[in-house]
Amino acid sequence: MTIPFWQQSSLNYLNNLKPTKVEFPMPPEVAPVQTAVLLTIIAETVLRDPIVKLFKHNNVSGYTINQVQGEGSHGKRMGDMAGYNTNIEIKTLVSREVSDSILWSVKDYQGKHAIIVFRQDVETLAD
C-alpha cells in the first residue's frame, strides 16, 4: 500500500513527537486554584436537618446531599423503604478551622446514630 505524499509528512511529524512537560509560569498568588478541605459526612437520613443547621451555624455557603446505600459496622443501609434505613452523603468545601468545628460537633452523634466523617485536603478552582 502506497501512502500519498501529503499524508507522509503528517505521519513523519506524528511519529517524531516527543512528550513535553507543560508548565504554567503563574505565581501562586494569582493561580486560579485555592486549597480547601473536602468534608464528607455519611450518616442516617434523620441527621440531615441537624447537620445542615450545623453548616449554617458555621457559615458554610454550599453543600451537596445525596441518598446513598452501603454496608458497614451498623449493618446494611439499602434505602429500600422511604425514610427508613436510609443514609445520606453530604459534601462541602470549607477551611481547616471550619472542618475542625464541624468534626467536634458531629462527634456527639456517634454512638447514637450511624455516621462517619472524613476530610481531605484538596485544591479547587477559585471562585
Side-chain angles (χ1 to χ4, degrees):
M1 178 174 121
T2 306
I3 299 174
F5 73 91
W6 63 85
Q7 289 180 346
Q8 288 177 1
S9 61
S10 295
L11 285 176
N12 288 336
Y13 172 77
L14 292 174
N15 288 333
N16 291 321
L17 281 179
K18 293 180 178 44
T20 58
K21 182 178 178 184
V22 177
E23 292 187 29
F24 297 99
M26 194 177 299
E29 61 272 6
V30 295
V33 295
Q34 294 178 354
T35 59
V37 173
L38 172 61
L39 189 65
T40 303
I41 301 172
I42 301 172
E44 295 177 35
T45 302
V46 70
L47 294 177
R48 179 180 193 253
D49 291 339
I51 292 171
V52 168
K53 187 175 181 180
L54 177 63
F55 283 2
K56 302 284 186 195
H57 177 75
N58 283 278
N59 297 315
V60 172
S61 61
Y63 54 88
T64 300
I65 300 177
N66 290 303
Q67 288 291 134
V68 294
Q69 299 175 6
E71 184 174 350
S73 62
H74 290 272
K76 284 187 179 182
R77 302 246 174 216
M78 302 313 291
D80 46 0
M81 293 174 52
Y84 176 77
N85 203 23
T86 58
N87 277 355
I88 53 170
E89 177 184 62
I90 306 174
K91 292 185 175 191
T92 188
L93 291 171
V94 295
S95 68
R96 171 68 57 176
E97 295 77 22
V98 170
S99 74
D100 286 341
S101 174
I102 293 171
L103 283 170
W104 278 107
S105 297
V106 298
K107 188 167 177 45
D108 295 339
Y109 298 124
Q110 286 182 319
K112 302 173 199 148
H113 298 279
I115 184 169
I116 185 167
V117 184
F118 54 94
R119 65 182 174 187
Q120 301 163 280
D121 292 324
V122 296
E123 292 182 333
T124 180
L125 288 176
D127 196 291

